[in-house]
Amino acid sequence: ALPDVAARFNASHGARAHLCESWEPVDGRADLPEADPDDSPWEPAKGRTFPHALPCDRGSARAGAAGHDDLAPAEQLIASGIAMTPLWDEMAIDFAEELIESEQLGRDDSPDLLVLALSGTDYIGHDYGPDSQELLDQLRRLDRRLGRFLETLDRTPGPGGAIVALSADHGVQSAPER
């Protein structure tokens, strides 16, 4: 069984809360000049342009991943398509903030360790390409969300009380078709 904090989060803020939504560009602008046009031929056939519809199966306990009962919860989200959107990382950071509060992280003399794996950029980059409008939108959203998260860390244990380390698993080059 999931810990209570995870069950509560999933019930109110988890993937099911975002079913039937649409992934729109963060500032309402598509085809930003810093990225390829939003209809490049190497993007997936299932949807090459904004908006991108999210799964819409409110009856599924697994966020639209019907037919994937044999998969772990994270794999079910990948199968449902939610992992290929900025929601993947936003939900991870939201949950981290919930954990900081519920577990009172950083509020005593014992060190706490919180590790986040933010893989949305990797999934979106693989799905749409490293120069896509989708990846640019993901990076803009992640930059803003990480900024708010770092502000939370500064307030929670007190300024200078948190150590943050960032790493990546690989770099990337433009799609060969480009």
Side-chain angles (χ1 to χ4, degrees), residues 103-178:
E103 301 299 316
Q104 300 291 297
L105 299 181
R107 298 208 173 107
D108 60 26
D109 292 336
S110 299
D112 294 310
L113 176 66
L114 176 64
V115 178
L116 294 177
L118 303 174
S119 300
T121 301
D122 192 30
Y123 288 123
I124 293 167
H126 281 290
D127 216 25
Y128 293 97
D131 300 301
S132 65
Q133 295 290 321
E134 289 81 1
L135 189 63
L136 178 58
D137 187 69
Q138 159 66 4
L139 292 172
R140 295 171 80 209
R141 288 172 184 270
L142 185 58
D143 181 64
R144 292 173 187 182
R145 187 63 186 94
L146 278 174
R148 292 192 312 272
F149 180 64
L150 293 174
E151 290 170 359
T152 298
L153 288 180
D154 276 345
R155 286 190 310 271
T156 303
I163 297 172
V164 177
L166 301 174
S167 70
D169 64 343
H170 63 84
V172 67
Q173 64 185 30
S174 296
E177 299 86 349
R178 185 172 194 257

Coordinates of all heavy atoms in Angstrom, one line a residue, residues 103-178:
E103 N 6.2 15.6 5.8 CA 7.3 14.9 6.6 C 8.2 15.9 7.4 O 9.1 15.4 8.0 CB 8.1 14.1 5.6 CG 7.4 13.0 4.9 CD 6.7 12.0 5.8 OE1 7.4 11.5 6.7 OE2 5.5 11.6 5.5
Q104 N 7.8 17.2 7.3 CA 8.6 18.2 8.0 C 10.1 18.1 7.7 O 10.9 18.3 8.6 CB 8.4 18.0 9.5 CG 6.9 18.1 10.0 CD 6.4 19.6 9.8 OE1 6.9 20.5 10.4 NE2 5.4 19.7 8.9
L105 N 10.4 18.0 6.4 CA 11.8 17.9 6.0 C 12.5 19.2 6.3 O 12.0 20.3 6.1 CB 11.9 17.5 4.5 CG 11.3 16.2 4.1 CD1 11.5 16.0 2.6 CD2 11.9 15.0 4.9
G106 N 13.7 19.1 6.7 CA 14.6 20.3 7.0 C 14.2 21.0 8.2 O 14.7 22.1 8.4
R107 N 13.4 20.5 9.1 CA 13.0 21.2 10.3 C 13.6 20.7 11.6 O 13.2 21.2 12.6 CB 11.5 21.2 10.4 CG 10.9 21.8 9.1 CD 9.5 22.4 9.4 NE 9.0 23.1 8.3 CZ 8.1 22.7 7.5 NH1 7.5 21.6 7.7 NH2 7.7 23.4 6.4
D108 N 14.6 19.9 11.5 CA 15.4 19.5 12.7 C 16.8 19.4 12.4 O 17.2 19.7 11.2 CB 14.8 18.2 13.3 CG 14.9 17.0 12.4 OD1 15.7 17.0 11.5 OD2 14.1 16.1 12.5
D109 N 17.6 18.9 13.3 CA 19.1 18.8 13.1 C 19.5 17.6 12.3 O 20.7 17.6 11.9 CB 19.8 18.8 14.5 CG 19.6 20.1 15.2 OD1 19.4 21.2 14.5 OD2 19.8 20.1 16.4
S110 N 18.6 16.7 12.0 CA 19.0 15.5 11.2 C 18.9 15.9 9.7 O 17.9 16.4 9.3 CB 18.1 14.3 11.5 OG 18.2 14.0 12.9
P111 N 19.9 15.5 9.0 CA 19.8 15.8 7.5 C 18.7 15.0 6.9 O 18.5 13.8 7.2 CB 21.2 15.4 7.0 CG 22.0 15.0 8.1 CD 21.1 14.9 9.3
D112 N 18.0 15.5 5.9 CA 17.0 14.8 5.1 C 17.5 14.8 3.7 O 18.2 15.7 3.2 CB 15.7 15.6 5.2 CG 15.1 15.5 6.6 OD1 15.0 14.5 7.1 OD2 14.7 16.6 7.1
L113 N 17.2 13.8 3.0 CA 17.5 13.6 1.6 C 16.3 13.5 0.7 O 15.4 12.6 1.0 CB 18.4 12.4 1.3 CG 18.8 12.1 -0.1 CD1 19.7 13.2 -0.7 CD2 19.5 10.8 -0.2
L114 N 16.1 14.3 -0.2 CA 15.0 14.3 -1.2 C 15.5 14.2 -2.6 O 16.3 15.1 -3.0 CB 14.1 15.5 -1.0 CG 12.9 15.6 -1.9 CD1 11.9 14.5 -1.7 CD2 12.2 17.0 -1.8
V115 N 15.3 13.2 -3.3 CA 15.8 13.0 -4.6 C 14.6 13.0 -5.6 O 13.6 12.3 -5.4 CB 16.5 11.6 -4.8 CG1 17.0 11.4 -6.2 CG2 17.7 11.6 -3.8
L116 N 14.7 13.9 -6.6 CA 13.7 13.9 -7.7 C 14.3 13.5 -9.0 O 15.4 13.9 -9.3 CB 13.2 15.4 -7.8 CG 12.5 16.0 -6.7 CD1 12.2 17.5 -7.0 CD2 11.2 15.3 -6.4
A117 N 13.5 12.7 -9.7 CA 13.9 12.3 -11.0 C 12.9 13.0 -12.0 O 11.7 12.6 -12.0 CB 13.8 10.8 -11.2
L118 N 13.4 14.0 -12.6 CA 12.5 14.8 -13.6 C 12.8 14.3 -15.0 O 13.8 14.8 -15.6 CB 12.8 16.3 -13.4 CG 12.5 16.8 -11.9 CD1 12.9 18.2 -11.8 CD2 11.1 16.6 -11.5
S119 N 12.0 13.4 -15.5 CA 12.3 12.8 -16.8 C 11.4 13.3 -17.9 O 11.5 12.8 -19.0 CB 12.1 11.3 -16.6 OG 13.0 10.8 -15.7
G120 N 10.5 14.2 -17.6 CA 9.6 14.7 -18.7 C 10.4 15.3 -19.9 O 10.0 15.0 -21.0
T121 N 11.5 16.0 -19.7 CA 12.3 16.6 -20.8 C 12.8 15.4 -21.6 O 12.8 15.5 -22.9 CB 13.4 17.4 -20.2 OG1 12.8 18.5 -19.4 CG2 14.2 18.1 -21.3
D122 N 13.3 14.4 -21.0 CA 13.8 13.2 -21.8 C 12.7 12.6 -22.6 O 12.9 12.4 -23.8 CB 14.4 12.2 -20.8 CG 15.2 11.2 -21.5 OD1 15.8 11.4 -22.5 OD2 15.3 10.0 -20.9
Y123 N 11.5 12.3 -22.0 CA 10.5 11.7 -22.8 C 10.0 12.6 -23.9 O 9.8 12.1 -25.0 CB 9.3 11.4 -21.8 CG 9.5 10.2 -20.9 CD1 9.4 10.4 -19.5 CD2 9.9 9.0 -21.4 CE1 9.6 9.3 -18.7 CE2 10.1 7.9 -20.5 CZ 10.0 8.1 -19.2 OH 10.2 7.1 -18.3
I124 N 9.8 13.9 -23.6 CA 9.3 14.8 -24.6 C 10.3 14.9 -25.8 O 10.0 15.0 -26.9 CB 8.9 16.1 -24.0 CG1 7.7 16.0 -23.1 CG2 8.7 17.2 -25.1 CD1 7.4 17.1 -22.2
G125 N 11.6 15.0 -25.4 CA 12.6 15.1 -26.4 C 12.7 13.9 -27.3 O 12.9 14.0 -28.5
H126 N 12.6 12.7 -26.7 CA 12.6 11.5 -27.5 C 11.3 11.5 -28.4 O 11.4 11.0 -29.6 CB 12.6 10.3 -26.7 CG 14.0 10.0 -26.2 ND1 15.0 9.5 -27.0 CD2 14.5 10.1 -24.9 CE1 16.1 9.3 -26.3 NE2 15.9 9.7 -25.0
D127 N 10.2 11.9 -27.9 CA 9.0 11.8 -28.6 C 8.8 12.8 -29.8 O 8.4 12.5 -30.9 CB 7.8 11.9 -27.7 CG 6.6 11.0 -28.0 OD1 6.8 10.0 -28.7 OD2 5.5 11.4 -27.7
Y128 N 9.2 14.1 -29.5 CA 9.0 15.2 -30.4 C 10.2 15.7 -31.1 O 10.2 16.4 -32.1 CB 8.2 16.3 -29.7 CG 6.8 16.0 -29.4 CD1 6.5 15.6 -28.1 CD2 5.8 16.0 -30.3 CE1 5.3 15.2 -27.7 CE2 4.5 15.6 -29.9 CZ 4.3 15.2 -28.6 OH 3.0 14.9 -28.3
G129 N 11.4 15.4 -30.5 CA 12.6 15.9 -31.0 C 13.2 17.1 -30.2 O 12.4 17.8 -29.5
P130 N 14.5 17.2 -30.1 CA 15.2 18.2 -29.3 C 15.0 19.6 -29.7 O 15.2 20.5 -28.9 CB 16.6 17.8 -29.3 CG 16.8 17.1 -30.7 CD 15.5 16.4 -30.9
D131 N 14.5 19.9 -30.9 CA 14.3 21.2 -31.4 C 12.9 21.5 -31.6 O 12.5 22.5 -32.3 CB 15.1 21.4 -32.7 CG 16.6 21.2 -32.5 OD1 17.2 21.9 -31.7 OD2 17.1 20.3 -33.2
S132 N 12.0 20.8 -31.0 CA 10.6 20.9 -31.2 C 10.0 22.0 -30.3 O 10.5 22.4 -29.3 CB 9.8 19.6 -30.8 OG 10.0 19.3 -29.5
Q133 N 8.8 22.5 -30.7 CA 8.0 23.4 -29.9 C 7.7 22.8 -28.6 O 7.7 23.5 -27.6 CB 6.8 23.9 -30.7 CG 7.0 24.7 -32.0 CD 7.6 26.0 -31.7 OE1 7.2 26.7 -30.8 NE2 8.5 26.5 -32.5
E134 N 7.4 21.5 -28.6 CA 7.0 20.8 -27.4 C 8.1 20.8 -26.4 O 7.9 21.1 -25.2 CB 6.5 19.4 -27.7 CG 5.2 19.3 -28.4 CD 5.3 19.5 -29.9 OE1 6.4 19.8 -30.5 OE2 4.2 19.5 -30.6
L135 N 9.3 20.5 -26.8 CA 10.5 20.5 -25.9 C 10.7 21.9 -25.4 O 11.0 22.1 -24.2 CB 11.7 19.9 -26.5 CG 12.8 19.7 -25.5 CD1 12.4 18.7 -24.4 CD2 14.1 19.3 -26.2
L136 N 10.6 22.9 -26.2 CA 10.8 24.3 -25.8 C 9.8 24.7 -24.7 O 10.1 25.3 -23.7 CB 10.8 25.3 -27.0 CG 10.9 26.8 -26.6 CD1 12.2 27.1 -25.9 CD2 10.8 27.6 -27.9
D137 N 8.5 24.3 -25.0 CA 7.5 24.6 -24.0 C 7.8 23.8 -22.7 O 7.7 24.4 -21.6 CB 6.1 24.1 -24.5 CG 5.0 24.5 -23.6 OD1 4.7 25.7 -23.6 OD2 4.4 23.6 -23.0
Q138 N 8.2 22.6 -22.7 CA 8.6 21.8 -21.5 C 9.7 22.6 -20.8 O 9.6 22.7 -19.5 CB 9.0 20.4 -21.9 CG 9.9 19.7 -20.8 CD 9.2 19.4 -19.6 OE1 8.0 19.6 -19.4 NE2 9.9 18.8 -18.6
L139 N 10.7 23.0 -21.4 CA 11.8 23.7 -20.8 C 11.4 25.0 -20.1 O 11.8 25.3 -19.0 CB 13.0 23.9 -21.7 CG 13.7 22.6 -22.2 CD1 14.7 23.0 -23.3 CD2 14.4 21.9 -21.1
R140 N 10.6 25.7 -20.8 CA 10.1 27.0 -20.2 C 9.2 26.7 -19.0 O 9.4 27.4 -18.0 CB 9.2 27.7 -21.3 CG 10.1 28.2 -22.5 CD 9.3 28.7 -23.6 NE 9.0 30.1 -23.3 CZ 7.9 30.7 -23.7 NH1 7.0 30.1 -24.4 NH2 7.6 32.0 -23.4
R141 N 8.4 25.7 -19.0 CA 7.6 25.3 -17.9 C 8.4 24.8 -16.7 O 8.2 25.2 -15.6 CB 6.5 24.3 -18.3 CG 5.4 24.7 -19.1 CD 4.6 23.5 -19.6 NE 3.6 23.9 -20.5 CZ 2.3 24.3 -20.2 NH1 2.0 24.3 -18.9 NH2 1.5 24.6 -21.1
L142 N 9.4 24.0 -17.0 CA 10.2 23.4 -16.0 C 11.1 24.4 -15.3 O 11.2 24.4 -14.1 CB 11.1 22.3 -16.6 CG 12.0 21.5 -15.6 CD1 11.1 20.8 -14.5 CD2 12.8 20.5 -16.4
D143 N 11.6 25.4 -16.1 CA 12.4 26.5 -15.6 C 11.5 27.3 -14.5 O 12.0 27.5 -13.4 CB 12.9 27.4 -16.7 CG 13.7 28.5 -16.2 OD1 14.8 28.3 -15.6 OD2 13.3 29.7 -16.3
R144 N 10.3 27.6 -14.9 CA 9.5 28.3 -14.0 C 9.1 27.5 -12.7 O 9.1 28.0 -11.6 CB 8.2 28.8 -14.7 CG 8.4 29.8 -15.8 CD 7.2 30.1 -16.6 NE 7.5 30.9 -17.7 CZ 6.6 31.4 -18.6 NH1 5.4 31.0 -18.4 NH2 7.0 32.1 -19.6
R145 N 8.8 26.2 -12.9 CA 8.4 25.4 -11.8 C 9.5 25.1 -10.9 O 9.4 25.1 -9.7 CB 7.8 24.1 -12.3 CG 7.2 23.2 -11.3 CD 6.0 23.9 -10.6 NE 5.5 23.2 -9.5 CZ 5.8 23.4 -8.2 NH1 6.7 24.4 -7.9 NH2 5.3 22.7 -7.2
L146 N 10.7 24.9 -11.4 CA 11.9 24.7 -10.6 C 12.2 26.0 -9.8 O 12.6 25.9 -8.7 CB 13.1 24.3 -11.4 CG 13.2 22.8 -11.8 CD1 14.4 22.6 -12.7 CD2 13.3 22.0 -10.5
G147 N 12.0 27.1 -10.4 CA 12.2 28.4 -9.7 C 11.3 28.5 -8.5 O 11.8 28.9 -7.4
R148 N 10.0 28.1 -8.7 CA 9.1 28.2 -7.5 C 9.5 27.1 -6.5 O 9.4 27.4 -5.3 CB 7.7 28.0 -8.0 CG 7.1 29.1 -8.8 CD 5.6 29.1 -9.0 NE 5.1 27.8 -9.5 CZ 5.0 27.4 -10.8 NH1 5.4 28.2 -11.7 NH2 4.5 26.2 -11.1
F149 N 10.0 26.0 -6.9 CA 10.4 24.9 -6.0 C 11.6 25.4 -5.2 O 11.7 25.2 -4.0 CB 10.7 23.6 -6.7 CG 11.2 22.5 -5.9 CD1 10.3 22.0 -4.9 CD2 12.4 22.0 -6.0 CE1 10.7 20.9 -4.1 CE2 12.8 20.9 -5.2 CZ 12.0 20.4 -4.2
L150 N 12.6 26.0 -5.8 CA 13.8 26.5 -5.1 C 13.4 27.6 -4.1 O 14.0 27.7 -3.0 CB 14.8 27.0 -6.1 CG 15.4 25.9 -7.0 CD1 16.3 26.5 -8.0 CD2 16.2 24.9 -6.1
E151 N 12.4 28.4 -4.5 CA 11.9 29.4 -3.5 C 11.3 28.7 -2.3 O 11.5 29.2 -1.1 CB 10.9 30.3 -4.2 CG 11.5 31.3 -5.2 CD 10.5 32.0 -6.0 OE1 9.2 31.8 -5.8 OE2 10.9 32.9 -6.8
T152 N 10.5 27.6 -2.5 CA 10.0 26.8 -1.4 C 11.1 26.3 -0.5 O 11.0 26.3 0.7 CB 9.1 25.7 -2.0 OG1 8.0 26.2 -2.7 CG2 8.6 24.8 -0.9
L153 N 12.1 25.7 -1.2 CA 13.3 25.2 -0.4 C 13.9 26.3 0.5 O 14.3 26.1 1.6 CB 14.3 24.6 -1.3 CG 13.9 23.2 -1.9 CD1 15.1 22.8 -2.8 CD2 13.6 22.2 -0.9
D154 N 14.0 27.5 -0.1 CA 14.6 28.6 0.7 C 13.8 28.9 1.9 O 14.3 29.3 2.9 CB 14.8 29.8 -0.2 CG 16.1 29.8 -1.0 OD1 17.0 29.0 -0.7 OD2 16.2 30.6 -2.0
R155 N 12.5 28.9 1.8 CA 11.6 29.2 2.9 C 11.5 28.1 3.9 O 11.3 28.3 5.1 CB 10.2 29.6 2.4 CG 10.1 30.9 1.7 CD 8.7 31.3 1.4 NE 7.9 30.2 0.8 CZ 7.8 30.0 -0.5 NH1 8.4 30.9 -1.4 NH2 7.1 29.1 -1.0
T156 N 11.5 26.9 3.4 CA 11.2 25.7 4.3 C 12.3 25.5 5.4 O 12.0 25.7 6.6 CB 11.0 24.5 3.5 OG1 9.9 24.7 2.6 CG2 10.6 23.3 4.4
P157 N 13.5 25.2 5.1 CA 14.5 25.0 6.1 C 15.2 26.2 6.5 O 16.1 26.2 7.4 CB 15.5 23.9 5.5 CG 15.4 24.2 4.1 CD 14.0 24.7 3.8
G158 N 14.9 27.3 5.9 CA 15.6 28.6 6.1 C 16.6 28.8 5.0 O 17.1 27.9 4.4
P159 N 16.9 30.1 4.7 CA 17.8 30.4 3.6 C 19.2 29.7 3.8 O 19.7 29.6 4.9 CB 18.0 31.9 3.7 CG 16.7 32.4 4.4 CD 16.3 31.2 5.3
G160 N 19.6 29.1 2.8 CA 20.9 28.4 2.8 C 20.9 27.0 3.5 O 21.9 26.4 3.6
G161 N 19.7 26.6 3.9 CA 19.6 25.3 4.6 C 19.5 24.1 3.7 O 19.6 23.0 4.1
A162 N 19.3 24.3 2.4 CA 19.2 23.2 1.5 C 20.4 23.2 0.5 O 20.9 24.2 0.1 CB 17.9 23.3 0.7
I163 N 20.8 22.0 0.1 CA 21.9 21.8 -0.9 C 21.2 21.2 -2.1 O 20.5 20.2 -1.9 CB 23.0 20.9 -0.4 CG1 23.7 21.6 0.8 CG2 24.0 20.6 -1.6 CD1 24.7 20.7 1.5
V164 N 21.3 21.8 -3.2 CA 20.7 21.3 -4.5 C 21.8 20.9 -5.4 O 22.7 21.7 -5.7 CB 19.8 22.4 -5.1 CG1 19.2 21.9 -6.4 CG2 18.7 22.8 -4.1
A165 N 21.6 19.7 -6.0 CA 22.6 19.2 -7.0 C 21.7 18.8 -8.2 O 20.7 18.1 -8.1 CB 23.4 18.0 -6.5
L166 N 22.2 19.2 -9.4 CA 21.4 18.8 -10.6 C 22.4 18.0 -11.5 O 23.6 18.2 -11.5 CB 21.0 20.1 -11.4 CG 20.1 21.1 -10.7 CD1 19.9 22.3 -11.5 CD2 18.8 20.4 -10.4
S167 N 21.8 17.0 -12.2 CA 22.6 16.2 -13.1 C 21.7 15.8 -14.3 O 20.5 16.0 -14.2 CB 23.2 15.0 -12.4 OG 22.2 14.1 -12.1
A168 N 22.3 15.2 -15.3 CA 21.5 14.8 -16.4 C 22.1 13.4 -16.8 O 23.2 13.1 -16.5 CB 21.6 15.8 -17.6
D169 N 21.2 12.6 -17.5 CA 21.7 11.3 -17.9 C 22.3 11.3 -19.3 O 23.1 10.4 -19.6 CB 20.6 10.3 -17.8 CG 19.4 10.5 -18.8 OD1 19.3 11.6 -19.3 OD2 18.6 9.6 -19.0
H170 N 22.1 12.3 -20.1 CA 22.7 12.3 -21.5 C 22.4 13.7 -22.1 O 21.5 14.4 -21.7 CB 22.3 11.2 -22.4 CG 20.8 11.2 -22.7 ND1 20.3 11.9 -23.7 CD2 19.8 10.5 -22.1 CE1 19.0 11.7 -23.8 NE2 18.6 10.8 -22.8
G171 N 23.2 14.0 -23.1 CA 22.9 15.2 -24.0 C 22.1 14.7 -25.2 O 21.8 13.5 -25.3
V172 N 22.0 15.6 -26.2 CA 21.3 15.2 -27.4 C 21.7 16.1 -28.5 O 22.1 17.3 -28.3 CB 19.7 15.3 -27.1 CG1 19.3 16.7 -26.9 CG2 18.9 14.7 -28.2
Q173 N 21.5 15.6 -29.7 CA 21.8 16.5 -30.9 C 20.4 16.6 -31.7 O 19.5 15.9 -31.4 CB 22.8 15.8 -31.8 CG 22.5 14.5 -32.4 CD 23.6 13.9 -33.1 OE1 24.8 14.1 -32.8 NE2 23.3 13.1 -34.1
S174 N 20.4 17.4 -32.6 CA 19.2 17.6 -33.4 C 18.8 16.3 -34.1 O 19.6 15.4 -34.4 CB 19.4 18.7 -34.5 OG 19.6 19.9 -33.9
A175 N 17.5 16.2 -34.4 CA 17.0 15.0 -35.1 C 17.8 14.9 -36.5 O 18.0 15.9 -37.2 CB 15.5 15.1 -35.4
P176 N 18.2 13.7 -36.9 CA 18.9 13.5 -38.1 C 18.1 14.1 -39.3 O 18.7 14.6 -40.2 CB 19.1 12.0 -38.3 CG 18.9 11.5 -36.9 CD 18.0 12.4 -36.2
E177 N 16.8 14.0 -39.3 CA 16.0 14.5 -40.4 C 16.1 16.0 -40.5 O 16.0 16.6 -41.6 CB 14.5 14.1 -40.2 CG 14.2 12.7 -40.2 CD 14.4 12.0 -38.8 OE1 14.9 12.7 -37.9 OE2 14.0 10.9 -38.6
R178 N 16.4 16.7 -39.4 CA 16.5 18.1 -39.4 C 17.8 18.5 -40.2 O 17.8 19.5 -40.9 CB 16.6 18.7 -38.0 CG 16.6 20.2 -37.9 CD 16.5 20.6 -36.4 NE 16.2 21.9 -36.3 CZ 17.1 22.9 -36.0 NH1 18.3 22.6 -35.7 NH2 16.7 24.1 -35.8

